[in-house]
Amino acid sequence: MIRRSTRTLTLVAATFTLGLTACADDGSQDTGSTEETAGSGSDGATSTEAAGGTDGDGTVTLYSGRNEDLVQPVLDQFTSETGIEVEVRYAGTAEMAAQLLEEGDNSPAEAFLAQDAGALGAVGDLLQPLPQETLDLVSDTYESADGTWVGLTGRSRVLVYNKDAVAESELPDSVAELTGEEWQGRVGLAPTNASFQSFVTAMRVLEGDDVARQWLADMAANDPEIRERNGVIVADVDAGAIDTGLVNHYYLYELADERGVAPEELSAALHFFPSGDTGALVNISGIGLVGEQADGDAQALVDYLLSEAGQTYFVENTYEYPMIEGIEPPAGLPALDELETPDIDLNDLEDLQTTIEMITEAGLL
């Protein structure tokens, strides 16, 4: 029996009314002034400078699929340091992607901030290539093959577990093991969440649709605990209501912050799947420039978010992995290049619609 909240069903319906073809979800001024105040990349240069820049109108229209509580402070920082105002439309990443697809070339958006690579890929035809100086700041692994979007932060999939309920020796080497009888009724899932859907898409890419479909069916038959959000799963694991859950790494840090304790003081802990297992997928939150740019203001925003100031904000406030060199990850996390991640091209994660259909067929949505 799958246990879930009634709100989950509402979210599922909302997801499908978006009319997406490829994604679903959970939750700038003249160049001269930008060079001086918008921060710089790790090498001290900005792409706005490299691109030549233009006299801007001092405003950027941003469609954000990231939560206002998480990103508004860093956008305020940007405005404070550059004088460039950011007019933000907040909604789920899927909803923002759907709106961009509907608006097409008439969209007022100048930039799209998304919480996963799949959503950025879904609107890739509307995005403009970023300057090479921007792309050079980030590993090729975490940007689009055609240069139309770039990762801002890294987010690793993990198994969160209750240390009193699961011994380290019991922890699985693969998500495939979670369909076994020993994990029956012990695993929390958030199927409406974009990060779970991207993970399933990665399984389809790496192992094929048949394997992914069977894993979903087996998980559904193994009495998973369905939750609306990753954060709820982590809280329930910490409280002992669930033994384990598939989530992104930073939710544990958020819970520790809320409780005013160090992450290691919680009853919940993180398990990073080894050996390139699909469960160790590292996805990104990222940004792309929408449509023809009238000036360099939106590029200045991209520059700032990839600057030392922008990246430090994310590390210290959202506990995600930085994308540029020279910025350390949150304390206690293994370095990004030490994670045994699956060999996958994030550009291949754009077909979320099929993934949603498969999750639904399995009875998890």
Side-chain angles (χ1 to χ4, degrees), residues 10-365:
T10 302
L11 287 175
V12 173
T15 297
F16 276 96
T17 58
L18 294 176
L20 279 179
T21 58
C23 65
D25 178 43
D26 45 310
S28 315
Q29 197 131 344
D30 70 49
T31 302
S33 62
T34 299
E35 291 170 9
E36 294 175 1
T37 58
S40 62
S42 59
D43 61 359
T46 69
S47 335
T48 307
E49 176 184 15
T54 61
D55 291 332
D57 62 4
T59 303
V60 175
T61 300
L62 174 69
Y63 282 14
S64 176
R66 302 211 63 185
N67 183 283
E68 181 174 1
D69 291 340
L70 295 179
V71 300
Q72 189 60 51
V74 73
L75 299 178
D76 291 341
Q77 276 183 207
F78 167 73
T79 297
S80 176
E81 297 189 24
T82 65
I84 300 170
E85 299 288 340
V86 185
E87 297 179 353
V88 193
R89 296 186 184 183
Y90 288 105
T93 288
E95 186 176 348
M96 286 285 87
Q99 185 167 342
L100 283 168
L101 291 171
E102 182 178 354
E103 294 172 343
D105 294 338
N106 296 319
S107 176
E110 296 173 278
F112 176 38
L113 176 59
Q115 68 168 359
D116 69 88
L120 288 160
V123 300
D125 289 345
L126 300 175
L127 304 181
Q128 296 296 308
L130 293 162
Q132 190 60 49
E133 288 77 9
T134 297
L135 301 173
D136 287 346
L137 295 172
V138 176
S139 166
D140 292 347
T141 302
Y142 303 116
E143 63 191 27
S144 70
D146 60 5
T148 55
W149 57 260
V150 67
L152 296 176
T153 65
R155 11 179 62 200
S156 177
R157 296 293 292 174
V158 296
L159 184 75
V160 62
Y161 68 99
N162 185 291
K163 292 180 284 189
D164 297 324
V166 183
E168 288 190 25
S169 59
E170 297 179 81
L171 292 170
D173 290 332
S174 169
V175 289
E177 298 176 34
L178 296 176
T179 61
E181 185 178 355
E182 65 272 30
W183 297 105
Q184 186 171 26
R186 303 176 68 190
V187 183
L189 304 176
T192 58
N193 192 274
S195 60
F196 179 83
Q197 295 165 3
S198 292
F199 149 71
V200 174
T201 304
M203 182 180 290
R204 292 175 50 218
V205 172
L206 291 166
E207 304 180 57
D209 282 0
D210 289 344
V211 171
R213 185 177 288 107
Q214 188 62 55
W215 185 84
L216 288 166
D218 291 345
M219 281 302 301
N222 215 25
D223 300 340
E225 291 281 349
I226 302 299
R227 298 292 186 271
E228 184 178 309
R229 303 171 64 181
N230 286 321
V232 177
I233 291 176
V234 173
D236 282 354
V237 169
D238 187 65
I242 315 175
D243 289 351
T244 69
L246 289 173
V247 298
N248 286 348
H249 77 271
Y250 45 84
Y251 290 101
L252 183 79
Y253 284 74
E254 290 181 1
L255 181 64
D257 185 57
E258 291 173 9
R259 303 263 172 90
V261 301
E264 56 269 23
E265 296 179 62
L266 296 173
S267 296
L270 302 182
H271 171 57
F272 292 82
F273 288 100
S275 306
D277 187 73
T278 307
L281 174 72
V282 173
N283 207 331
I284 52 96
S285 72
I287 194 167
L289 301 182
V290 181
E292 186 174 349
Q293 299 290 299
D295 52 52
D297 294 346
Q299 178 61 49
L301 176 61
V302 175
D303 289 339
Y304 186 80
L305 296 176
L306 283 172
S307 71
E308 180 177 346
Q311 293 285 285
T312 299
Y313 169 84
F314 286 119
V315 169
E316 295 181 348
N317 293 277
T318 68
Y319 310 104
E320 296 167 284
Y321 281 99
M323 288 281 102
I324 68 172
E325 295 182 0
I327 307 295
E328 296 296 322
L333 282 179
L336 187 58
D337 59 6
E338 293 177 358
L339 300 181
E340 299 179 30
T341 59
D343 184 13
I344 191 168
D345 185 343
L346 296 180
N347 293 278
D348 294 334
L349 300 182
E350 63 181 15
D351 181 19
L352 289 178
Q353 182 63 32
T354 302
T355 297
I356 293 169
E357 292 170 2
M358 291 172 64
I359 295 172
T360 304
E361 290 170 3
L364 292 170
L365 282 177

